[in-house]
């Protein structure tokens, strides 16, 4: 451990000017003494893994509307107040759906063999009301059906599914991966991405294919969601015992999301089964051998969960205390694991960054406010509600809109921060670039400007959509997209401690810099401000 601390503290000595002198850039004056104190506190006295332990091991999983999430928010507020922060509390917003939590799940093969199976419950579905057992039937829905074609197919299998365990879809056969995903990004690639003169294109997630267009004079094919909604309604009415879908992921990974109505009485019990078990049962069925499974699912509904909460606390400013710099991350998670890399790591980093500033005794000119969001996994709902309540938008601003100095967000797993993307003109990115420059030795290599007001992906875009400077921190991938993101593997054991420490140090310094500047971050003028974009209605 001493060697790791020495590495963080001393590798910066490769350029003494980065730590103890001016950066050589005229635009920003960097407080090298404070940066040094931030490094030392974040390296030698870090509380980040203790914070992560409480958020995951004690309070995970943290599904929106659940008692676990509320308890996690209360703990976080209490901890930040213990560190000396002020004005802490839970700010309510209307979620509108009951809370939900899984309490028990067991799945076993009763015949032709006896064994246990690995599954995760679909959120906001009902339990089985005690152990239930039934024969398995596998159905394969028609591809891109019209409404009439789907109705005809479902009517034809109504008698087959009554009282049965229904496997939906053929088993997905997955090839062995010989070239695993990279865990680190090459410095040259990152520098290219943040090159202010010639930035590399932004990498975007591939879009799901849309349903085919209807031929002239023919009914339009249904979309995936429409098919899923119709199937759930049918299975409930037809008396199916349990719906089972294939996780279709390697190495036992399972992603289980939610009944999209978020109302448990509108669907039947449902689980996602790991690919290996789904394949085993499918192959036995293909032999013509009947399979009987037993399920015992206990899910609990919490009507009071219709009110959700964002957890906030702050370090009050001095001469510019009515202006605010924010940092935050979403505290909610999915329910199949304890939500470590999505996003207890982000919450712990932001809490630690604020703790560092309190511990070294700085007095920021602007108020520094931490916000831990709920409802992110359901569509950034908590941060959207907060922005609407406190700031409004460029088109309909509230008084606080003009006093807002930037919001830092981190939400891509355990990897160290590599750079920042800020909504605003090139001058906003230049300010952040200067503030981050002293920390190149920790892996952060630049900042870039964005003019997109499209919300989606993570909570910084809730600010962007309002025309406010949301700042998203980009990170090394580690095993986020390949292993932990939204899966049953997202636990404490998959966190890289040194990366979290480095991110907290970098963000603490950048937050402090924005809190101390004479002027707030540059913003788009009225003429430059991009038009608002209608946000997508889908979840992450």
């Amino acid at each position: 451990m001493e060697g790791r601390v020495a590495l963080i503290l001393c590798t910066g000595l490769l350029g003494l000017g980065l730590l103890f002198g001016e950066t050589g850039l005229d635009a920003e004056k960097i407080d090298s003494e404070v940066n040094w104190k931030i490094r030392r506190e974040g390296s030698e006295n870090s509380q980040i893994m203790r914070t992560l332990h409480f958020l995951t091991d004690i309070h995970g999983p943290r599904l929106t509307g659940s008692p676990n999430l509320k308890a996690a928010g209360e703990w976080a507020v209490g901890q930040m107040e213990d560190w000396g922060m002020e004005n802490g509390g839970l700010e309510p917003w209307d979620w509108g759906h009951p809370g939900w939590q899984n309490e028990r799940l067991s799945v076993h093969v009763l015949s032709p063999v006896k064994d246990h199976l690995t599954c995760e419950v679909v959120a906001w579905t009902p339990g089985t009301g005690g152990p239930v057992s039934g024969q398995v039937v596998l159905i394969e829905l028609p591809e891109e059906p019209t409404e009439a074609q789907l109705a005809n197919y479902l009517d034809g299998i109504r008698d087959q599914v009554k009282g049965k365990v229904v496997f939906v879809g053929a088993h997905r056969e997955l090839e062995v991966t010989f070239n695993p995903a990279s865990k680190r990004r090459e410095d040259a690639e990152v520098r290219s991405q943040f090159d202010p003169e010639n930035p590399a294109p932004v990498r975007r997630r591939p879009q799901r294919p849309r349903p085919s267009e209807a031929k002239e004079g023919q009914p339009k094919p249904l979309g995936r969601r429409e098919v899923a909604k119709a199937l759930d309604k049918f299975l409930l009415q037809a008396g199916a015992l349990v719906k089972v879908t294939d996780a279709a992921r390697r190495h036992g990974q399972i992603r289980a999301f939610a009944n999209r109505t978020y109302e448990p009485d509108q669907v039947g019990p449902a689980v996602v089964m790991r690919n290996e078990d789904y394949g085993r049962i499918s192959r036995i069925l293909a032999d013509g051998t009947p399979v009987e499974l037993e399920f015992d699912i206990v899910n609990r509904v919490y009507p009071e969960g219709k009110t959700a909460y964002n957890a906030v606390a702050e370090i009050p400013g001095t001469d510019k205390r009515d202006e605010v710099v924010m940092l935050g991350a979403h505290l909610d998670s999915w329910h199949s694991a304890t939500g470590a890399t999505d996003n207890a790591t982000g919450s712990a980093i932001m809490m630690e960054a604020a703790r560092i500033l309190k511990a070294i005794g700085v007095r920021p000119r602007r108020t520094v406010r931490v916000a831990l969001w709920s409802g992110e996994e359901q569509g950034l709902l908590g941060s959207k509600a907060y922005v609407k309540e406190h700031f409004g938008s460029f088109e309909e601003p509230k008084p606080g809109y003009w006093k807002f100095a930037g919001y830092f967000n981190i939400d891509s797993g355990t990897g160290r921060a590599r750079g920042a993307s800020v909504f605003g003109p090139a001058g906003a990115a230049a300010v952040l670039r200067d503030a981050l420059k002293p920390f190149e030795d920790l892996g952060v290599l630049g900042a870039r400007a964005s003019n997109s007001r499209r919300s989606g992906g993570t909570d910084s875009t809730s600010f962007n959509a309002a025309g406010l400077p949301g700042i998203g921190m980009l990170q090394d991938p580690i095993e986020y997209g390949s292993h932990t993101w939204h899966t049953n593997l997202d636990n404490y054991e998959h966190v890289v401690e040194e990366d979290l420490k480095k991110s907290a140090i970098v963000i603490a310094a950048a937050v402090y810099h924005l809190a101390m500047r004479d002027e707030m971050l540059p913003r788009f003028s009225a003429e430059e401000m991009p038009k608002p974009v209608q946000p997508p209605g889908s979840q992450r």
Side-chain angles (χ1 to χ4, degrees):
M1 178 58 73
E2 290 180 0
R4 291 181 178 179
V5 169
L7 176 65
I8 292 175
L9 289 176
C10 296
T11 53
L13 295 175
L14 292 171
L16 286 174
L18 297 183
L19 289 178
F20 296 108
E22 295 301 325
T23 64
L25 299 175
D26 296 330
E28 298 296 310
K29 293 184 178 180
I30 304 301
D31 193 328
S32 301
E33 181 179 357
V34 168
N35 280 354
W36 170 253
K37 290 180 179 179
I38 287 172
R39 283 176 177 262
R40 184 174 58 188
E41 177 63 29
S43 300
E44 296 180 357
N45 301 315
S46 176
Q47 298 293 305
I48 207 162
M49 296 306 288
R50 179 181 183 274
T51 298
L52 189 80
H53 160 65
F54 276 90
L55 295 181
T56 57
D57 298 334
I58 306 300
H59 295 301
R62 304 173 304 279
L63 202 63
T64 295
S66 70
N68 281 14
L69 179 58
K70 186 177 181 184
E74 291 170 339
W75 179 84
V77 168
Q79 182 62 79
M80 288 189 285
E81 289 180 332
D82 286 348
W83 290 336
M85 299 181 68
E86 301 177 23
N87 303 323
L90 298 183
E91 293 199 12
W93 60 276
D94 183 19
W95 157 229
H97 300 289
W100 179 95
Q101 204 155 273
N102 171 247
E103 295 184 355
R104 178 180 174 84
L105 169 64
S106 67
V107 185
H108 292 82
V109 188
L110 299 183
S111 68
V113 296
K114 295 190 182 297
D115 201 355
H116 70 279
L117 304 175
T118 301
C119 300
E120 295 292 342
V121 178
V122 176
W124 283 279
T125 58
T128 54
V132 298
S133 60
Q135 297 288 317
V136 177
V137 59
L138 190 151
I139 66 172
E140 294 189 49
L141 299 171
E143 293 187 15
E144 296 192 349
T146 65
E147 185 175 1
Q149 289 170 337
L150 181 61
N152 184 60
Y153 171 80
L154 295 177
D155 285 342
I157 64 169
R158 187 175 298 273
D159 292 339
Q160 298 177 39
V161 303
K162 183 176 176 59
K164 299 295 198 304
V165 175
V166 181
F167 276 38
V168 179
H171 170 243
R172 174 88 172 272
E173 296 185 8
L174 303 173
E175 296 180 355
V176 173
T177 301
F178 290 98
N179 298 303
S182 174
K183 292 180 172 58
R184 296 286 189 198
R185 294 185 63 192
E186 295 292 337
D187 284 359
E189 178 193 4
V190 178
R191 290 186 190 279
S192 175
Q193 181 178 5
F194 293 109
D195 183 347
E197 302 302 326
N198 187 29
V202 176
R203 296 183 299 176
R204 301 190 184 279
R205 294 174 187 159
Q207 298 294 313
R208 288 179 175 175
R210 296 183 177 182
S212 301
E213 293 295 327
K215 296 180 180 179
E216 186 176 353
Q218 298 294 320
K220 182 179 179 181
L222 297 174
R224 293 163 55 99
R225 292 189 182 185
E226 294 171 304
V227 172
K229 182 178 180 180
L231 176 63
D232 285 341
K233 182 178 180 180
F234 165 77
L235 292 177
L236 178 63
Q237 294 176 344
L241 211 59
V242 179
K243 183 181 81 169
V244 181
T245 52
D246 184 356
R249 294 181 66 84
R250 299 177 181 86
H251 310 306
Q253 294 178 27
I254 300 174
R255 283 180 175 172
F257 295 112
N259 152 31
R260 290 186 181 275
T261 71
Y262 297 102
E263 300 294 337
D265 60 355
Q266 295 186 23
V267 297
V271 302
V272 181
M273 182 176 288
R274 72 175 176 178
N275 179 258
E276 295 86 345
D277 288 340
Y278 198 95
R280 178 186 185 186
I281 301 303
S282 298
R283 290 188 293 273
I284 295 173
L285 290 173
D287 287 338
T289 303
V291 178
E292 184 179 9
L293 303 185
E294 179 188 73
F295 292 80
D296 186 7
I297 304 172
V298 179
N299 298 329
R300 190 175 299 278
V301 174
Y302 296 88
E304 64 273 20
K306 291 182 178 181
T307 299
Y309 301 89
N310 297 318
V312 299
E314 62 187 27
I315 304 172
T318 53
D319 62 307
K320 292 180 177 290
R321 65 183 301 144
D322 59 333
E323 297 177 5
V324 60
V325 179
M326 292 187 66
L327 63 161
H330 73 90
L331 187 57
D332 65 304
S333 75
W334 285 109
H335 56 291
S336 298
T338 60
T341 68
D342 190 22
N343 188 27
T345 47
S347 297
I349 285 168
M350 296 317 204
M351 289 174 65
E352 175 72 2
R355 184 202 69 80
I356 289 170
L357 296 180
K358 282 298 300 182
I360 65 176
V362 294
R363 299 185 64 205
R365 300 177 68 188
R366 293 180 178 87
T367 294
V368 173
R369 183 179 301 154
V370 178
L372 307 178
W373 312 113
S374 56
E376 192 271 356
E377 297 292 2
Q378 288 69 48
L380 319 182
L381 300 182
S383 57
K384 286 179 179 178
Y386 186 92
V387 170
K388 182 178 180 180
E389 174 67 22
H390 289 266
F391 306 118
S393 67
F394 179 77
E395 289 72 26
E396 297 181 10
K398 293 190 173 183
Y401 187 89
W402 307 111
K403 300 291 187 178
F404 183 77
Y407 165 74
F408 289 84
N409 189 82
I410 192 162
D411 181 23
S412 294
T414 189
R416 59 182 174 164
R418 303 304 307 274
S421 174
V422 56
F423 177 79
V431 170
L432 288 170
R433 197 175 300 119
D434 289 354
L436 297 173
K437 181 69 174 176
F439 298 93
E440 284 192 348
D441 61 296
L442 300 189
V444 62
L445 299 179
R448 63 187 296 166
S450 168
N451 64 358
S452 174
R453 291 183 69 179
R454 185 179 299 279
S455 68
T458 193
D459 292 294
S460 54
T461 65
S462 295
F463 292 81
N464 299 359
L468 293 167
I471 304 164
M473 303 302 296
L474 287 76
Q475 299 167 253
D476 274 339
I478 309 299
E479 298 173 333
Y480 188 60
S482 61
H483 289 75
T484 64
W485 180 40
H486 293 167
T487 78
N488 55 325
L489 304 185
D490 191 10
N491 296 305
Y492 182 99
E493 284 72 17
H494 293 277
V495 167
V496 180
E497 179 177 356
E498 292 305 311
D499 279 27
L500 302 192
K501 288 180 178 180
K502 290 174 181 178
S503 294
I505 289 168
V506 167
I507 292 171
V511 166
Y512 178 75
H513 184 75
L514 294 198
M516 297 300 290
R517 297 180 79 244
D518 290 336
E519 304 295 334
M520 294 193 296
L521 269 180
R523 293 200 202 176
F524 288 119
S525 67
E527 294 74 24
E528 297 170 327
M529 178 63 71
K531 298 295 184 184
V533 177
Q534 184 66 31
S538 61
Q539 71 179 33
R540 246 182 102 189

